[in-house]
Amino acid sequence: MTILCVRFQPPARHEAEAALPELLGLLEEFTPVVEALPPDGALADLRGAERYFGRSAVELASVIRVRALALYGVDCVIGAGPGPMLARMALRDARPGLTRAVPEGADQIREFLAGKPVAALPGVGTATARTLCEYGLDTLGRVAAAPLSTLQRLVGAKTGRELREKAGGIDRGRVVPNAVSRSLAAERPFDRDELDPDRHRRALLSAAGELGARLRALEKVCRTLTLTVRYADRSSTTRSRTLGEPTAHSAALTRTAYSLYEALGLQRARVRAIVLRAEGLGPADRASYQLTFDPADEKVRRVEEAADRVRARFGPGAVIPGALAA
């Protein structure tokens, strides 16, 4: 085991993203090859650390967990594997206090993957999983056993080849060192696991409104919007979308957030929290915009500016969307 996939779990009401830079620094005490996975995760390549410390990656994971608890009061869930993809998949089966490691050896890896649903494979979206399931390829074992030509007819030549390799345990990914991108996040946890899509959408509306107001107050615009949905079983789904143009307009952020949510195709999902993150921040005065002659759009922007002035004087709750009034 050489790769760790770590998801930090800060205490309730503590924003994971605020603590992530310090927690990445903790991982960098063991290896410089650390890839941030905002808002609350990271990949760490411990090949050099295993030789330096004379311990396995699983043993080092225990040390990382203890230090995170002692220094920051943060527990973590850790998956270990020979590659980033397998470490991510091991993380799905991990629990706080325990490190889930993918078994050694090619045969054991294939056995580990065989019974898992095809949607559990990183990079397989809802549409691809639905297509494969319609043809009976609902587990990774069946995908690995399927003829390559069949997979390529279903999902395309390149995707089919990569899918078959990953389902067979071939992990060609690598950890790319990076830093936490400059971003703003708005998290909306639910008091209890929430099934109601209307409540999910209201949380998105609230989060997008908060991000828009914060961006305008900082005179920034964002280029990318990322949605993370956390479920009752501690798993999560993250999707990102590059905006048509840099914006701090709450209505545009809300439309994109709704589109990301609808693309997930959730059905009776027990959602524990929704996180919306604005990334790729830049100065608003240097952003380029598509000219519009729509008077309704200009009116909405003027109303937004007036609402910002009211909130600045009377507080953030002075003006809210009608859908959130209840």
Side-chain angles (χ1 to χ4, degrees), residues 28-41:
E28 289 170 352
E29 294 178 7
F30 295 85
T31 173
V33 188
V34 176
E35 180 179 347
L37 301 175
D40 58 1

Side-chain angles (χ1 to χ4, degrees), residues 261-292:
Y261 173 79
E262 291 166 0
L264 294 178
L266 302 181
Q267 296 181 358
R268 303 276 307 166
R270 298 169 59 202
V271 175
R272 184 157 293 178
I274 287 176
V275 183
L276 204 60
R277 188 167 64 256
E279 298 179 318
L281 306 190
D285 58 358
R286 296 184 184 178
S288 58
Y289 301 97
Q290 177 67 41
L291 293 176
T292 177

Side-chain angles (χ1 to χ4, degrees), residues 26-293:
L26 170 62
L27 293 177
E28 289 170 352
E29 294 178 7
F30 295 85
T31 173
V33 188
V34 176
E35 180 179 347
L37 301 175
D40 58 1
L43 287 168
D45 188 334
L46 298 183
R47 280 177 291 188
E50 287 179 312
R51 292 192 295 269
Y52 182 82
F53 292 103
R55 297 186 178 185
S56 68
V58 174
E59 291 173 329
L60 291 174
S62 299
V63 178
I64 291 170
R65 178 181 293 106
V66 170
R67 289 193 181 182
L69 279 169
L71 297 176
Y72 304 104
V74 174
D75 199 357
C76 51
V77 178
I78 303 177
M85 179 197 76
L86 293 168
R88 286 173 182 256
M89 297 194 69
L91 181 69
R92 292 174 174 265
D93 299 334
R95 293 294 180 267
L98 295 174
T99 299
R100 179 69 166 96
V102 178
E104 297 279 0
D107 292 338
Q108 287 77 11
I109 290 174
R110 285 192 290 269
E111 184 179 351
F112 169 79
L113 294 174
K116 294 189 177 298
V118 68
L121 194 67
V124 174
T126 304
T128 301
R130 185 185 304 116
T131 299
L132 293 170
C133 289
E134 287 175 352
Y135 287 86
L137 302 175
D138 55 346
T139 65
L140 295 179
R142 292 177 178 177
V143 171
L148 177 59
S149 58
T150 299
L151 294 175
Q152 290 179 326
R153 283 198 300 270
L154 293 176
V155 298
K158 180 180 178 181
T159 303
R161 183 172 59 254
E162 292 178 351
L163 181 62
R164 193 168 188 269
E165 286 185 350
K166 290 179 178 180
I170 300 175
D171 189 353
R172 301 186 187 278
R174 61 189 183 93
V175 179
V176 181
N178 64 356
V180 181
S181 59
R182 299 193 64 182
S183 62
L184 293 176
E187 182 170 355
R188 294 295 182 270
F190 295 105
D191 295 333
R192 53 188 176 185
D193 300 336
E194 187 57 67
L195 292 167
D196 188 355
D198 290 336
R199 290 184 180 272
H200 300 166
R201 290 175 65 88
R202 283 199 289 272
L204 290 170
L205 174 62
S206 173
E210 177 188 328
L211 286 181
R214 291 167 62 187
L215 287 168
R216 294 190 296 273
L218 295 171
E219 297 183 351
K220 300 282 188 180
V221 292
C222 72
R223 293 175 174 81
T224 304
L225 197 66
T226 298
L227 170 65
T228 300
V229 180
R230 298 199 183 101
Y231 307 106
D233 62 356
R234 299 181 182 271
S235 65
S236 64
T237 302
T238 300
R239 293 290 185 271
S240 296
R241 182 164 300 175
T242 300
L243 303 171
E245 63 180 22
T247 187
H249 187 26
S250 293
L253 295 175
T254 301
R255 287 194 297 269
T256 304
Y258 285 167
S259 179
L260 285 167
Y261 173 79
E262 291 166 0
L264 294 178
L266 302 181
Q267 296 181 358
R268 303 276 307 166
R270 298 169 59 202
V271 175
R272 184 157 293 178
I274 287 176
V275 183
L276 204 60
R277 188 167 64 256
E279 298 179 318
L281 306 190
D285 58 358
R286 296 184 184 178
S288 58
Y289 301 97
Q290 177 67 41
L291 293 176
T292 177
F293 298 99

